[in-house]
Amino acid sequence: MKKRWFQGIVIGALFPLLVGCPSSGTRTREGDQTPTAASPQQEEVKRAAKREWEPGVNRLGPATVPGTSSLVVVHQRPLLFTRQLNLEADGGGSAEGLIGKLFGILEAGGSNRNQLVRLNVYGVSAAEIEAFLAEWSKLFPAGGAPVVTALESPLPDAGEKLAIDAVAAVEANVDAVAVKSMIPEGNPTGAADYSVTPTKGLVFLSGRPEKGETAGAARAAIEGQLALAAELGCEPGDVVQIRVFLTEMEEAPTVRDAIRSALGEKPVPPVSFVAWIASAPVEIELTACHPQMAGDDSPSEVAIRFYNPADVKPSPNFSRATIVNSPTLIFTAGYLARSDADGTGQTRDVFSQLTEALESVGSDLRHGAKAHYFVSDDDASKAVDVLRKEYLDPGRPPAASKAKVHGLGRSGRGVCIDWISVPGDP
């Protein structure tokens, strides 16, 4: 207990720097890159060169806290998405057990710890998050870690204090979505352990909130998302991952039932839950893969397409969906403000970090495919709403989910943004 308490204090002191901007470094191994120090003149050349990536997982800017990176670029590799894994149920109550479960799922899906791209951590308190990251950090050398987003959230299952889900790259060729469980479950309609999908052809749908009683709202949300996916050429079997924002976590079984019913005979893909503070009881976001684009190896002049249904007025803050026709995806960490400030100051600092990070790999805010805006107070929420209009191109905002959550893993921080982007125009 004393050891865990001490680790929590240490990681707590470092946690504010979890998502710092990319720092200089050196090439670590094949498929993994970090930027080298350069003069301002060399920087322009370097940024242009970064648009041609080696196949695999390319990591840039290891964050100050071990076990995390600031940016990960995946090029010409399929992706694996896991379900939400729980500390008690899946890890036997220990961080080591939970991490072992994650690694087992990666191995079953043709991936491994060295191919991790993103880790999402959900803890009932900042202390639980810090303790887990202290254990996590022991496993990764500098330059070998995924990006991390950490959220404070109650969890669906009673007694659970921490959960994780992850995205990883897969080295084998994949030409269609596969949704699988490691071991046949007693309940065959339960969510799968993982899905594997081609990177090219990914479809990101913004979160869809619905009001009313939870059961009806959940049905409307998932059915609406599947209908939108169908407009874009995706069937229920093409769904890769579902994330649910829920006001009352005890309603999670109700939402699971709605998802199973909406998918019919198709397997339920990985599902994760986040507690949000909102008037709507539920919001559901969805990721799918366009089957025709997934198998198309021909080059495309349009790396990303922004979509809004004809009967919906476009928003300058988010597109209803984005369709990625690029073999390259850029994942950022969940950026927090680097110093204390009000909501406006924090939001500007986070957007500044995000802009700088994307520019360092030849991208920008105009090429965002999916954004998450997590806020923990009303001041930050209002600031994000106002400033998105300033930073985003209103003609091509990313698909997005904005959620007020219980905390961001550190006292005094009200804004966290993570991002998925494609490379910018040549």
Side-chain angles (χ1 to χ4, degrees):
M1 180 65 72
K2 290 182 179 179
K3 180 179 179 181
R4 182 174 177 181
W5 175 85
F6 177 73
Q7 290 171 338
I9 294 297
V10 172
I11 199 73
L14 295 175
F15 193 74
L17 299 175
L18 170 63
V19 290
C21 288
S23 60
S24 62
T26 58
R27 180 80 168 273
T28 56
R29 59 182 180 274
E30 184 176 359
D32 288 357
Q33 302 171 349
T34 55
T36 56
S39 67
Q41 293 79 14
Q42 292 171 325
E43 185 67 19
E44 293 303 319
V45 176
K46 182 179 68 173
R47 287 179 179 177
K50 285 185 182 300
R51 297 182 184 181
E52 296 185 4
W53 298 98
E54 291 185 10
V57 178
N58 304 270
R59 308 179 193 280
L60 295 101
T64 302
V65 173
T68 70
S69 291
S70 290
L71 286 167
V72 172
V73 181
V74 182
H75 181 58
Q76 293 182 347
R77 287 289 184 268
L79 293 176
L80 180 151
F81 293 77
T82 78
R83 67 174 170 87
Q84 196 169 50
L85 308 174
N86 295 298
L87 184 68
E88 294 293 334
D90 295 297
S94 73
E96 295 90 341
L98 182 59
I99 294 168
K101 177 69 172 182
L102 172 61
F103 290 171
I105 289 178
L106 297 182
E107 183 177 358
S111 185
N112 57 64
R113 56 187 278 181
N114 296 322
Q115 302 299 311
L116 274 166
V117 175
R118 180 186 294 286
L119 180 75
N120 293 308
V121 184
Y122 314 88
V124 296
S125 68
E128 292 291 340
I129 293 170
E130 292 163 2
F132 175 80
L133 288 175
E135 293 300 319
W136 177 264
S137 66
K138 299 174 183 177
L139 302 176
F140 292 93
V147 295
V148 173
T149 296
L151 303 173
E152 293 173 45
S153 172
L155 296 169
D157 300 309
E160 290 289 358
K161 295 182 179 180
L162 186 128
I164 59 174
D165 62 45
V167 181
V170 176
E171 294 185 353
N173 292 326
V174 174
D175 57 9
V177 174
V179 177
K180 297 183 178 181
S181 292
M182 292 171 56
I183 301 173
E185 300 178 1
N187 176 7
T189 58
D193 287 311
Y194 67 91
S195 65
V196 178
T197 176
T199 299
K200 196 173 184 182
L202 278 178
V203 178
F204 297 98
L205 273 60
S206 292
R208 182 186 181 104
E210 293 288 349
K211 293 187 176 182
E213 49 85 24
T214 302
R219 286 194 301 271
I222 186 60
E223 290 172 1
Q225 292 292 58
L226 292 174
L228 178 56
E231 287 184 34
L232 299 171
C234 300
E235 300 294 331
D238 300 318
V239 177
V240 175
Q241 189 262 354
I242 295 170
R243 179 182 271 184
V244 179
F245 298 94
L246 193 59
T247 56
E248 302 294 338
M249 279 299 185
E250 59 266 26
E251 295 285 358
T254 301
V255 179
R256 291 190 180 108
D257 289 343
I259 292 172
R260 284 195 291 266
S261 176
L263 289 172
E265 297 181 357
K266 297 298 181 181
V268 178
V271 179
S272 295
F273 287 85
V274 183
W276 76 333
I277 303 167
S279 58
V282 64
E283 174 174 306
I284 294 178
E285 68 173 30
L286 183 150
T287 303
C289 186
H290 194 288
Q292 294 181 346
M293 292 172 60
D296 182 8
D297 293 330
S298 60
S300 173
E301 295 181 359
V302 181
I304 184 170
R305 184 159 65 95
F306 302 86
Y307 181 79
N308 292 287
D311 60 345
V312 175
K313 181 180 178 180
S315 167
N317 289 337
F318 65 95
S319 297
R320 262 54 180 190
T322 56
I323 305 95
V324 173
N325 194 19
S326 169
T328 308
L329 283 178
I330 301 161
F331 292 78
T332 80
Y335 288 99
L336 301 171
R338 290 167 288 195
S339 59
D340 294 340
D342 61 9
T344 296
Q346 288 189 48
T347 304
R348 286 196 181 280
D349 183 52
V350 171
F351 267 115
S352 176
Q353 293 179 68
L354 180 60
T355 300
E356 181 181 343
L358 293 174
E359 287 179 350
S360 76
V361 291
S363 187
D364 52 45
L365 296 177
R366 298 183 70 253
H367 289 83
K370 182 61 189 286
H372 287 112
Y373 305 96
F374 298 114
V375 297
S376 60
D377 58 58
D378 291 337
D379 182 41
S381 180
K382 293 176 183 176
V384 168
D385 286 341
V386 170
L387 293 176
R388 276 194 292 186
K389 296 181 177 67
E390 177 181 329
Y391 285 93
L392 301 180
D393 182 337
R396 46 188 298 142
S401 297
K402 178 182 175 234
K404 185 178 181 182
V405 296
H406 290 258
L408 302 173
R410 186 195 171 193
S411 176
R413 293 297 177 267
V415 181
C416 174
I417 301 177
D418 66 31
W419 198 269
I420 301 175
S421 188
V422 300
D425 300 326

